[in-house]
Amino acid sequence: MTSTPPRDEPVFRSGGQADGKVAAVLAWGLYILSIPSANVLVLVGLIVAYAGRGSATGVALEHLNAQIRLFWSVFWWTVACWLAIAVSAVASVVLIGIPFLFFFLLVWFLISVWFTVKSVFGLINLLGERAP
């Protein structure tokens, strides 16, 4: 009797050079779609990054960790920006906060654009790296 699995079942192996690379590419791709999806796919990308970290090795693991760090840094900047938007919206009742409201909305948009651009560069960097 042979020890090969039946043809209808996939063979799962770990420890290869590409372990975690699919998860890293998928997470970067979901991060890139943050603006069109109103940041919903960023949360999915974060879940993929956390899930893929367990089996990732080498460069892919570094990228998954970078994605998680990027998410949390942008998350806290976004929270701060939304607090400023809320304060400006309340102050706009007196007409003083209207310029601040527009300023902080612009800052929030620029944070989203920065996140997307950084994700594009991360994906390009990941796809450009070769395993030894």
Side-chain angles (χ1 to χ4, degrees):
M1 197 167 232
T2 63
S3 64
T4 58
R7 290 184 172 239
D8 58 344
E9 292 182 20
V11 177
F12 296 107
R13 291 183 209 108
S14 64
Q17 294 177 356
D19 274 2
K21 191 168 184 176
V22 173
V25 169
L26 182 61
W28 280 129
L30 290 169
Y31 278 15
I32 290 169
L33 296 173
S34 65
I35 292 177
S37 70
N39 294 330
V40 172
L41 291 178
V42 171
L43 297 174
V44 177
L46 179 67
I47 292 168
V48 168
Y50 271 118
R53 206 165 62 158
S55 65
T57 58
V59 174
L61 179 61
E62 291 175 21
H63 279 276
L64 291 170
N65 288 333
Q67 292 164 354
I68 292 168
R69 281 191 310 273
L70 174 64
F71 172 83
W72 287 112
S73 67
V74 171
F75 174 79
W76 291 115
W77 279 106
T78 303
V79 167
C81 194
W82 274 108
L83 289 174
I85 289 170
V87 169
S88 299
V90 170
S92 68
V93 172
V94 193
L95 297 175
I96 295 172
I98 291 176
F100 293 107
L101 178 65
F102 288 125
F103 172 74
F104 288 120
L105 284 171
L106 177 66
V107 169
W108 173 64
F109 176 73
L110 292 176
I111 289 171
S112 297
V113 168
W114 174 77
F115 180 81
T116 303
V117 168
K118 189 151 172 80
S119 299
V120 168
F121 287 144
L123 181 62
I124 290 169
N125 187 22
L126 178 65
L127 294 177
E129 291 184 2
R130 302 275 187 253

